[in-house]
Amino acid sequence: MSLRKTLCKLLGCNAPQANGVPLVGFYGDSLTAGTIEGTPNNTMAVPPVRRLNELAGGAIYGISYARPGATVALALEGGHAMPYGPWASHVQRAPEHWMVLRFGGADYVVGTPGDTLRPQVTTLVDQARAAGKQPILVGVPNLLPGIQGVDDLLRDLAAQMAVPFIELAHVAVGPGDQPDGIHPSQALSDRIAAEMVRQLLPIVREG
């Protein structure tokens, strides 16, 4: 059964909406998957997209396609156990209209150069748009020294491509917010999710 048919069977949907609620796909790395080392299955108790759904109060229905370690290159090729195969094919059959692209963290960790990352993200956006989807780029919070450069690149690219951009650089990160030294704690992840919902819902409502 196709992904679209499976989701519609579960949700009673007529894609891209489930009972009138917009479907939103969330794509990204461990920051979106909810990875945190030292916990059961190395996953936080309430992963980000589940928390987003709770905080949205039924205004959207989020679907997580995120995988720990997912770079933009892996997302494009469908590698690293990505759940949907090559991006160009996936966007043609994905049930959601809104695609929240929250990459950059894993790219920063593995050292993807900016002049490589920029065209890769451009391809993600272009292929989503060509399939009739609405991509949304998401910045990265200040979790690691120097990661602001990735955030600046994504913000600049969103402006150039006239893509909605969700700002996260201002979310406060304090002592104890990164128990494994990299990933957000549950509390910080929840604060980030709340900020994403605050900015995302008006984007979806305004279409």
Side-chain angles (χ1 to χ4, degrees):
M1 182 179 293
S2 69
L3 177 61
R4 179 190 293 266
K5 290 181 179 178
T6 299
L7 287 170
C8 288
K9 183 176 181 180
L10 289 172
L11 301 174
C13 72
N14 187 5
Q17 294 193 342
N19 296 327
V21 177
L23 296 179
V24 180
F26 290 85
Y27 299 82
D29 50 35
S30 58
L31 300 181
T32 304
T35 299
I36 182 167
E37 302 295 333
T39 58
N41 300 317
N42 290 330
T43 303
M44 58 184 58
V46 184
V49 175
R50 188 194 308 172
R51 184 68 82 205
L52 279 154
N53 280 331
E54 293 173 358
L55 294 170
I60 62 169
Y61 187 91
I63 306 163
S64 178
Y65 299 89
R67 287 294 183 274
T71 62
V72 178
L74 290 170
L76 286 169
E77 69 186 36
H80 195 66
M82 300 304 287
Y84 48 74
W87 181 254
S89 300
H90 169 70
V91 294
Q92 297 293 332
R93 64 178 185 273
E96 73 272 13
H97 174 66
W98 300 95
M99 292 183 159
V100 176
L101 309 179
R102 191 185 175 193
F103 292 96
D107 281 284
Y108 178 74
V109 170
V110 303
T112 304
D115 58 1
T116 298
L117 184 60
R118 180 178 291 270
Q120 289 175 342
V121 176
T122 298
T123 299
L124 278 182
V125 171
D126 283 344
Q127 291 182 350
R129 281 176 159 172
K133 310 299 185 182
Q134 174 59 68
I136 299 169
L137 290 177
V138 181
V140 290
N142 292 321
L143 299 174
L144 295 170
I147 202 169
Q148 295 90 343
V150 175
D151 188 63
D152 291 342
L153 183 152
L154 294 170
R155 183 184 299 103
D156 180 64
L157 190 56
Q160 287 186 10
M161 302 188 74
V163 174
F165 183 75
I166 293 177
E167 290 272 5
L168 295 179
H170 62 285
V171 177
V173 181
D177 278 337
Q178 295 170 269
D180 64 5
I182 298 177
H183 301 99
S185 64
Q186 182 73 66
L188 175 55
S189 178
D190 289 349
R191 294 201 302 274
I192 293 171
E195 183 59 24
M196 289 184 67
V197 168
R198 186 185 72 81
Q199 297 180 53
L200 176 61
L201 293 188
I203 294 171
V204 173
R205 281 196 297 265
E206 293 168 10

